[in-house]
Amino acid sequence: MKSKQSFLYLLAFVLIVIAVSEFIGIQAVKVGSVKISLLPLVFAILITMILGLSIFRKGFMKKIYSEANVGFSSKYLIFIMLPLMARYGADVAPRIEEILKVGWVFIIQEIGNLGTILLGLPIAILLGLRREAIGSTLGLGREGELAYISEKYTLDSDEGRGVLSLYIIGTLFGTLFFSIIAPIMYATGFSIEALAMASGVGSASMMTGSSSALIATAPDMEQTINSYAAASQLLTSFLGTYTMVFLAVPLQRFMYKLLVRGDK
């Protein structure tokens, strides 16, 4: 009975946070000539992180942040992300012919995902991480990596904590970073199509932050930006799975054994 009541508290809390975040909406902050878009998703995570601090986690909030609720949330998080794939497909369809003409560029883009291992893994080991480094450097820690790590190790493992930490950090700071870097790159002369493609790194929040910033900079290219970003996102989510399984995982396993002796 207690667990059912606790779950109802969690459900009510989630709906309230979503409503508050949507009410705040997308907020644009202008820093010089750069426009930074703060999405409702960022506000939702900030609210739940702040309320999860020990000073607030008392009484009613203690029931919401119970061990059972946290375990339930981490276990079923992946199912909430599945409708995103359907949305990407709907955005890509109207401009599929134009996108197919430059399809090979999207495929080459996937090789760049190995950079998180080549650069990130040695730094993570240097900072003292061990099994957590496996989850936090396999990729950008988005839906694909989250699904793989949760299936192979579970989210309660060291690897799971690593990928979840990166997921939250990426949602908060990755979105802000892409919102800033996209218009800066456009101002230096990069084409809007190339930047729209680069927006689809496998993260819905990062893609939205980047594409929103580009649309704010070039509103007349809104349809092109959305289509290219969604196509890149869709292919990254699809092809990125195979890149991760057949290239990233073996490379990471080899490098981890090389850098951390004695840890199987």
Side-chain angles (χ1 to χ4, degrees):
M1 183 67 183
K2 281 186 178 180
S3 61
K4 286 183 179 179
Q5 189 180 39
S6 181
F7 174 74
L8 288 174
Y9 285 145
L10 173 65
L11 184 61
F13 176 69
V14 168
L15 292 173
I16 291 169
V17 170
I18 291 171
V20 171
S21 303
E22 288 296 330
F23 177 76
I24 296 170
I26 299 175
Q27 297 296 318
V29 179
K30 202 162 185 180
V31 182
S33 59
V34 178
K35 197 173 185 181
I36 304 170
S37 299
L38 300 176
L39 307 175
L41 181 61
V42 174
F43 293 115
I45 289 183
L46 280 173
I47 292 168
T48 51
M49 284 178 67
I50 291 168
L51 293 177
L53 294 172
S54 56
I55 55 170
F56 297 110
R57 206 164 61 241
K58 296 172 185 176
F60 178 71
M61 296 307 298
K62 192 174 181 181
K63 293 178 182 178
I64 291 171
Y65 286 89
S66 67
E67 190 175 334
N69 281 342
V70 172
F72 174 86
S73 301
S74 63
K75 186 177 179 182
Y76 293 101
L77 177 66
I78 191 65
F79 292 104
I80 299 170
M81 300 170 187
L82 296 178
L84 285 172
M85 300 299 110
R87 170 63 190 273
Y88 299 153
D91 286 338
V92 170
R95 300 179 74 91
I96 191 67
E97 288 184 16
E98 183 183 343
I99 289 163
L100 285 174
K101 290 177 184 177
V102 290
W104 61 273
V105 178
F106 291 110
I107 296 171
I108 291 174
Q109 181 179 305
E110 287 308 307
I111 306 300
N113 289 335
L114 300 179
T116 55
I117 297 170
L118 294 170
L119 298 174
L121 185 61
I123 294 171
I125 300 298
L126 261 171
L127 290 172
L129 297 180
R130 288 298 178 262
R131 303 300 296 181
E132 298 88 351
I134 293 173
S136 59
T137 64
L138 184 57
L140 287 176
R142 309 321 296 169
E143 289 82 355
E145 290 81 20
L146 195 64
Y148 177 84
I149 294 294
S150 64
E151 287 293 324
K152 187 170 177 63
Y153 302 102
T154 77
L155 292 178
D156 290 327
S157 63
D158 290 336
E159 294 86 351
R161 282 184 281 276
V163 74
L164 267 179
S165 299
L166 196 69
Y167 184 85
I168 293 169
I169 290 169
T171 300
L172 282 172
F173 300 107
T175 304
L176 294 175
F177 175 80
F178 272 81
S179 298
I180 296 168
I181 199 69
I184 290 175
M185 297 293 280
Y186 180 62
T188 60
F190 281 85
S191 74
I192 203 78
E193 291 85 359
L195 291 170
M197 276 191 238
S199 299
V201 293
S203 164
S205 58
M206 293 179 198
M207 181 202 73
T208 307
S210 178
S211 56
S212 298
L214 288 172
I215 290 167
T217 308
D220 55 314
M221 298 288 286
E222 180 177 358
Q223 191 176 0
T224 298
I225 293 167
N226 280 333
S227 299
Y228 274 68
S232 180
Q233 177 75 0
L234 183 65
L235 287 170
T236 296
S237 301
F238 175 68
L239 295 175
T241 302
Y242 296 98
T243 305
M244 175 182 64
V245 172
F246 296 111
L247 294 177
V249 170
L251 176 63
Q252 187 189 57
R253 191 175 295 139
F254 170 76
M255 286 184 63
Y256 186 82
K257 286 180 180 179
L258 199 66
L259 294 167
V260 184
R261 303 284 182 178
D263 190 346
K264 296 181 180 179

